[in-house]
Amino acid sequence: MDQADVVKLADSPAWAPLAARVFRALWIAQLVSNTGSWMQTVGAQWLLVGHSAATVTLVQTASSLPVVLLALPSGVLADRFDRRKMLLASQAAMFAVATVLTLSAFRGALTPGLLLALTFLLGCGTALMGPAWQAVQPELVERAQLGQAAALGAVNMNLARAVGPALGGAVVAAAGPGWVFAFNALSYLAVMAVLLRWRRAEPVRNPAYGEGLLAAAQAGRRYVWHAPGVRRVLLRTALFIPGGAAMWSLLPLVASRSLGLGSGGYGLLLGVVGAGAVGGAFALPAVRRRLTVNGILAVGTAVFAGVLAVLATTRQPWLAAVALPAAGLGWISVLSTLNAAVQQRLPGWVRARGLAAYLVVFQGGQALTAPLWGLLAQWIGLDGALLTGGVVLLAGAASLRRWPLRGTDGIDPTVSDHWPVPPLRFEPGPADGPVLVSVTYRVAPANAAAFTDRMTLVARSRRRTGALSWGLYQDGKDPERFIENYLVASWAEHLAQHHTRLTAMDRRQEEHARALLISRTAPEVTHAFDTGAGPVASRQRRTSAGDDETPLSSALL
């Protein structure tokens, strides 16, 4: 593909992010790696087909469970350290594990236990890579193209799904699983080569202000908990994934037991799912113009449920092959919508940690429910388990009336460094605290109710960005006087609020509340430190004796 072809391709809204050179190179390298991963999945699952249904489904659990265990710590690391180096480290680790898997297969030493253990270790590499990989996307494409970039990520996976399983099944049938494991090991080198050549024009730094790893993890958890839009995306993901996992975990059994196919036939079934997803990516821009976000989620989920019903009732391979592309279409429609929604809601300072929470729900739902579908298939039969999965999906789609996905209008995660540095009379250390921040407002009685209502959004902002507790109080003696108090764990946390955590949306919410203040009365802000630790105890070392009578802090915003 020459440069003119790239420009022409980028004119299509669905493929526009490919005009970015680094995004394009990483996308192609990831396509090679994903193809290897799908070839390995076919090889691993087919090695276990002769065992129980629960054992077969453990392949998906072994690959997904590490994300549940490691995604949040990986998100903390990706927000604090160089994401490119993290990606390189994870790819190198997966290359080493895949090499061991390959050598074990060629030596005939690959028992089910060893296969699952090495698959688990590869999943650990994926868990380390996932948050960093997702978090670098906004560095590679414009924010307006995040939806297309998310769809292209799903296209990448499904192009690999269209080619990898069919190729893997053919190789397994012709030469054995060792060769598919070998290709997967070599595929990691493609991603490493691109990452080694990638140099940011301006390296992205995330100042931590002395924040420890545990504090960073707590900050990520606090942000997600106090961000209703992010929580809603996680809920919608949790309502879709369990039912969707029924197909991925049971399809090897459908191919071998219901349709009488071999490894090549199973690979072809996965291939047509991938082809449907790729076709869906082309159709998504037009679909988005005709359906709301919630409409896409409802239709995509219902289509996926319909495919499960077909798989449960047919014994004809051709009919299954005709139905499965619709599953790919439904899968990519739902997941690209959810992925773009969470990307658009997260500011840079906590993006990897927020995406880690999304990956925990996404991969965790698959890891935890895959063996349950296997056990259910043993209990009520394969067809009954597939139909149950369809019912679970339809119930999730019906819940959109109660818990719809909220729009992104008004959400702007751009950093807003609009708070001035408070003029303290001593210099606190990063760990000094807790810090009690008090803001005094003057509000006319006629505006008191509206002010209190608008401050609920400010409260969420404070908690998202670091407040451990928050309260708004009205002076009983002077009803025009309102006092906002919030407690921050340390001075470092509060400095992070000042300089890296507040966004343009936070600023608008503050301004919306302050528009109701009595004119020409700026809020008065004070910062008070815990007298049992930090600056009060050590102030004699940092200030002159004449400063002992001064207030701890007083500043005006």
Side-chain angles (χ1 to χ4, degrees):
M1 180 182 292
D2 59 26
Q3 187 64 30
D5 292 330
V6 171
V7 173
K8 183 177 179 180
L9 183 63
D11 288 338
S12 168
W15 302 92
L18 290 177
R21 181 182 60 82
V22 176
F23 180 88
R24 182 172 66 252
L26 283 172
W27 190 89
I28 293 170
Q30 188 70 357
L31 177 61
V32 175
S33 183
N34 284 336
T35 300
S37 297
W38 276 108
M39 291 175 67
Q40 171 170 305
T41 297
V42 170
Q45 289 181 324
W46 208 254
L47 277 175
L48 299 177
V49 158
H51 297 76
S52 68
T55 302
V56 175
T57 59
L58 284 177
V59 173
Q60 185 171 6
T61 299
S63 60
S64 300
L65 185 60
V67 178
V68 181
L69 303 176
L70 300 176
L72 292 177
S74 299
V76 172
L77 294 174
D79 275 332
R80 286 180 54 84
F81 301 110
D82 190 308
R83 291 165 182 167
R84 172 181 163 275
K85 291 180 180 178
M86 281 194 62
L87 291 172
L88 278 168
S90 63
Q91 294 293 315
M94 288 190 285
F95 170 72
V97 173
T99 300
V100 173
L101 179 58
T102 301
L103 295 176
S104 299
F106 280 130
R107 293 178 60 188
L110 196 58
T111 64
L114 180 59
L115 172 62
L116 292 173
L118 292 173
T119 301
F120 180 85
L121 291 177
L122 286 174
C124 291
T126 301
L128 180 65
M129 177 191 74
W133 184 271
Q134 296 274 1
V136 299
Q137 302 305 305
E139 298 180 35
L140 307 177
V141 300
E142 297 177 2
R143 183 171 183 267
Q145 294 180 344
L146 284 176
Q148 294 97 311
L152 282 173
V155 166
N156 191 303
M157 177 61 73
N158 285 286
L159 272 174
R161 184 184 283 127
V163 176
L167 183 59
V171 172
V172 169
W179 290 102
V180 298
F181 299 151
F183 181 89
N184 183 53
L186 294 174
S187 71
Y188 295 118
L189 298 178
V191 180
M192 293 176 65
V194 176
L195 289 171
L196 285 170
R197 294 186 61 187
W198 176 28
R199 292 292 183 271
R200 294 185 180 100
E202 222 176 281
V204 177
R205 304 186 184 277
N206 186 10
Y209 294 100
E211 184 181 48
L213 293 178
L214 183 59
Q218 289 291 346
R221 179 202 60 79
R222 190 166 50 239
Y223 184 92
V224 170
W225 182 254
H226 294 291
V230 175
R231 290 207 319 270
R232 182 57 57 86
V233 176
L234 299 182
L235 174 62
R236 295 306 331 162
T237 305
L239 290 171
F240 174 75
I241 290 300
M247 190 192 81
W248 301 117
S249 56
L250 298 176
L251 192 59
L253 301 174
V254 172
S256 62
R257 300 180 186 180
S258 298
L259 303 178
L261 299 175
S263 62
Y266 171 53
L268 288 173
L269 291 182
L270 284 175
V272 297
V273 177
V278 173
F282 280 105
L284 269 178
V287 171
R288 289 192 178 108
R289 290 193 292 269
R290 290 170 173 79
L291 292 177
T292 64
V293 168
N294 292 296
I296 293 174
L297 295 179
V299 172
T301 303
V303 167
F304 203 93
V307 174
L308 289 181
V310 172
L311 294 177
T313 55
T314 187
R315 298 295 179 266
Q316 300 297 324
W318 69 267
L319 185 56
V322 169
L324 282 170
L329 171 63
W331 185 261
I332 195 173
S333 298
V334 172
L335 290 187
S336 64
T337 299
L338 293 172
N339 187 279
V342 74
Q343 289 263 16
Q344 291 168 342
R345 286 167 167 80
L346 292 170
W349 71 271
V350 75
R351 182 177 293 120
R353 282 166 281 184
L355 288 166
Y358 169 75
L359 290 174
V360 165
V361 176
F362 172 45
Q363 298 282 9
Q366 296 186 81
L368 297 177
T369 59
L372 297 181
W373 290 121
L375 292 172
L376 188 63
Q378 292 178 191
W379 181 36
I380 66 174
L382 183 57
D383 297 341
L386 289 167
L387 290 173
T388 302
V391 171
V392 171
L393 284 169
L394 291 176
S399 71
L400 279 164
R401 294 181 62 86
R402 177 67 178 83
W403 299 303
L405 195 64
R406 299 184 176 98
T408 56
D409 293 342
I411 295 178
D412 184 355
T414 306
V415 174
S416 178
D417 188 1
H418 60 278
W419 285 1
V421 177
L424 303 180
R425 297 297 299 273
F426 56 83
E427 185 63 31
D432 287 346
V435 183
L436 178 65
V437 183
S438 298
V439 189
T440 302
Y441 307 95
R442 299 203 67 83
V443 183
N447 292 328
F451 175 75
T452 301
D453 183 61
R454 294 183 185 185
M455 286 295 289
T456 59
L457 294 179
V458 176
R460 287 178 184 167
S461 169
R462 305 288 197 241
R463 292 180 184 274
R464 281 195 302 269
T465 56
L468 301 175
S469 61
W470 181 92
L472 181 66
Y473 307 90
Q474 187 175 21
D475 192 329
K477 183 178 179 181
D478 182 1
E480 290 186 351
R481 186 170 177 261
F482 285 78
I483 304 101
E484 175 195 10
N485 287 335
Y486 61 94
L487 191 68
V488 185
S490 67
W491 185 240
E493 284 271 322
H494 190 54
L495 283 180
Q497 282 184 310
H498 270 263
H499 301 302
T500 64
R501 294 185 178 178
L502 290 174
T503 66
M505 183 180 73
D506 296 319
R507 181 172 188 168
R508 283 200 306 269
Q509 290 170 349
E510 288 181 9
E511 292 172 345
H512 189 53
R514 295 182 182 190
L516 297 175
L517 302 185
I518 295 174
S519 59
R520 297 185 300 279
T521 58
E524 180 182 348
V525 183
T526 62
H527 300 74
F529 294 82
D530 183 354
T531 57
V536 174
S538 61
R539 189 166 38 158
Q540 293 292 339
R541 299 193 301 268
R542 295 182 296 218
T543 64
S544 65
D547 287 335
D548 287 349
E549 301 296 328
T550 60
L552 294 181
S553 171
S554 181
L556 295 180
L557 284 183

